[in-house]
Amino acid sequence: MEIRIENLTKAYGDFKAVDGMTLNIADGELIGLLGPSGCGKSTTLFMLAGLNEPTSGRIFFGDKEVTHIPPEDREIGLVFQNYALYPHMTVLDNITFPLINRKVKKAEAIERATEMAHLVQLDGLLNRKPSALSGGQQQRVAIARALVKKPQVLLLDEPLSNLDAKLRVETREEIKRIQSEVKITTIFVTHDQEEAMSISNRIAVMNKGVVQQYDAPQSMYLNPINAFVAQFLGTPQINMFNAQITERGAELDGTLLCSESRMKAEAGESLPNGTYQMGIRPESLELCDDGFTVTADSVRMTGRDLLIFFHIGDTEFRALTHSDQHIQAGDKLCLRIRKNALIIFDENGNSLVKY
Ligand SMILES: Nc1ncnc2c1ncn2[C@@H]1O[C@H](COP(=O)(O)OP(=O)(O)O)[C@@H](O)[C@H]1O
Ligand SMILES: [Mg+2]
């Protein structure tokens, strides 16, 4: 089922929780709806589910407009953060519930529920009560229950937030596997950028009710449309700072970050001299023999990487390097910026060019 969202707005008085959202989601696609708490993700999902009436705009499932159709007629499956299972019912009864509710015969309901339980790998647990399951297993029951009606669209609102770190990763892989087996068009709401990037075909990043960028994870990470997206994606966070473009190149407090000749070579034409907001991801700063020199303030071992803190003038930077490097606080380091990794923003925070 293809989904089209046209200029969708939800206002509470003067406040717009969702502001003019337009998105197309292809049949069978899994998209991540990503943004900080309060940016309008759940409001969007609830409008898609029919649980929240839009102020304006339209929603289409396939060719059919569903903007004002009640939830039970939309053929959607919903999964929330708190699994919302019936505690007094067994796993099997929880999964068959939507079918029994729809007057499907008991034998058929059990057959379909058992099939779903197998899909989400709950075989053998069908007679347990939810309280006898782990959080991840409970969430899989919720997913099976959402899918058992064979909905056309699956809507997941922060489904992994209540799980611990390890289960979160396992369960998100599980969701990805189930989704690609069933090939159901899916919208996955999360505030966790890593989760969104690892699971989604495309991500819509929202801020204050407005979609900032809608793109595949890698392309969004490498080409953020503005400073908000650049800062929201990636850990450790991108280094953002104000620096000058001069006839020498990109300069910060006398340190030449990127020469004029390299800027010309990479982007063709140069920007007018002046102060610009710039961004460099920590992993885009690499050790080299021929670059600019800094002094490490402190070094943190994270396992796979070493995270190095240093200053240029008053600006603190973070650089990531491989954990087999031997670097200590006070060491002088020669660094350069990887190609195409210095992002320049205009005064409104929109990306202009990469050098
Ligand atoms: N019924 C409501 N009345 C007024 N404001 C609301 C209502 N529901 C949500 N909001 C506001 O709309 C904004 C978006 O909420 P929500 O969609 O739940 O955000 P998210 O899911 O991204 O955390 C928030 O600022 C929230 O306080
Ligand atoms: Mg929410």
Side-chain angles (χ1 to χ4, degrees):
M1 179 70 80
E2 178 204 358
I3 302 176
R4 279 187 295 136
I5 303 173
E6 284 182 8
N7 207 13
L8 194 66
T9 295
K10 178 71 186 182
Y12 296 107
D14 288 340
F15 173 74
K16 288 179 177 163
V18 176
D19 190 358
M21 171 186 277
T22 295
L23 278 187
N24 287 337
I25 303 158
D27 182 30
E29 197 172 22
L30 190 165
I31 78 138
L33 200 54
L34 173 67
S37 176
C39 74
K41 305 180 297 293
S42 293
T43 306
T44 302
L45 209 72
F46 281 37
M47 289 193 280
L48 290 168
L51 299 167
N52 202 333
E53 182 79 8
T55 307
S56 60
R58 304 201 294 175
I59 302 166
F60 293 85
F61 287 177
D63 291 333
K64 185 173 162 197
E65 183 174 355
V66 299
T67 319
H68 303 291
I69 290 183
E72 59 274 18
D73 299 328
R74 289 194 187 195
E75 298 190 71
I76 46 164
L78 262 176
V79 177
F80 298 103
Q81 173 177 346
N82 55 352
Y83 330 114
L85 302 176
Y86 303 107
H88 59 286
M89 290 186 192
T90 63
V91 168
L92 183 66
D93 289 342
N94 265 286
I95 302 175
T96 51
F97 186 81
L99 298 175
I100 301 292
N101 220 10
R102 289 200 158 187
K103 310 266 184 302
V104 173
K105 288 209 183 69
K106 186 138 190 224
E108 190 195 332
I110 289 175
E111 192 187 320
R112 281 168 61 180
T114 310
E115 218 175 274
M116 269 309 136
H118 180 66
L119 177 75
V120 302
Q121 300 185 338
L122 284 170
D123 318 80
L125 300 176
L126 291 175
N127 294 319
R128 290 215 194 154
K129 297 273 173 64
S131 57
L133 299 176
S134 71
Q137 289 168 334
Q138 291 186 47
Q139 199 51 298
R140 282 188 270 151
V141 177
I143 292 165
R145 186 179 59 183
L147 290 175
V148 77
K149 286 177 293 181
K150 302 225 183 307
Q152 302 275 6
V153 175
L154 180 61
L155 305 174
L156 306 151
D157 194 358
E158 311 241 9
L160 309 178
S161 297
N162 281 348
L163 307 180
D164 65 44
K166 185 161 175 283
L167 257 184
R168 262 201 356 226
V169 172
E170 282 172 22
T171 312
R172 89 180 179 213
E173 296 311 316
E174 191 67 354
I175 289 177
K176 182 78 193 156
R177 176 189 65 79
I178 294 164
Q179 191 271 338
S180 47
E181 263 176 52
V182 183
K183 296 186 176 64
I184 183 171
T185 309
T186 300
I187 301 179
F188 184 101
V189 164
T190 178
H191 62 270
D192 180 330
Q193 50 92 25
E194 192 204 327
E195 194 167 283
M197 284 201 277
S198 69
I199 201 174
S200 312
N201 300 119
R202 285 192 286 177
I203 300 174
V205 172
M206 292 180 76
N207 186 30
K208 298 184 178 153
V210 178
V211 173
Q212 307 289 306
Q213 187 169 4
Y214 184 38
D215 213 334
Q218 187 177 25
S219 138
M220 191 179 288
Y221 187 79
L222 296 175
N223 300 299
I225 197 162
N226 60 29
F228 176 83
V229 175
Q231 286 175 287
F232 199 73
L233 298 185
T235 44
Q237 249 197 13
I238 189 169
N239 299 291
M240 294 288 265
F241 51 95
N242 286 321
Q244 271 67 48
I245 290 185
T246 67
E247 44 293 334
R248 292 175 66 208
E251 277 190 77
L252 176 58
D253 287 320
T255 296
L256 187 64
L257 300 172
C258 181
S259 69
E260 153 76 11
S261 55
R262 172 173 145 183
M263 285 163 64
K264 265 219 175 86
E266 291 197 11
E269 121 186 57
S270 49
L271 293 170
N273 289 353
T275 303
Y276 292 85
Q277 188 178 29
M278 303 188 185
I280 308 170
R281 295 209 178 274
E283 69 273 23
S284 299
L285 285 162
E286 59 185 0
L287 296 165
C288 65
D289 299 325
D290 177 24
F292 53 91
T293 304
V294 302
T295 306
D297 295 330
S298 62
V299 179
R300 206 178 294 158
M301 171 69 180
T302 68
R304 186 192 46 189
D305 305 306
L306 276 190
L307 178 58
I308 305 163
F309 294 87
F310 63 91
H311 275 80
I312 298 177
D314 291 333
T315 312
E316 182 174 71
F317 283 81
R318 297 166 297 277
L320 276 182
T321 189
H322 203 268
S323 51
D324 61 5
Q325 297 284 338
H326 294 282
I327 297 168
Q328 293 173 349
D331 285 358
K332 291 229 178 307
L333 307 171
C334 184
L335 294 175
R336 71 171 167 228
I337 303 166
R338 288 170 69 86
K339 281 197 167 171
N340 252 310
L342 174 64
I343 310 174
I344 316 281
F345 301 92
D346 71 11
E347 64 275 21
N348 299 317
N350 295 314
S351 301
L352 287 172
V353 63
K354 289 198 300 182
Y355 291 118

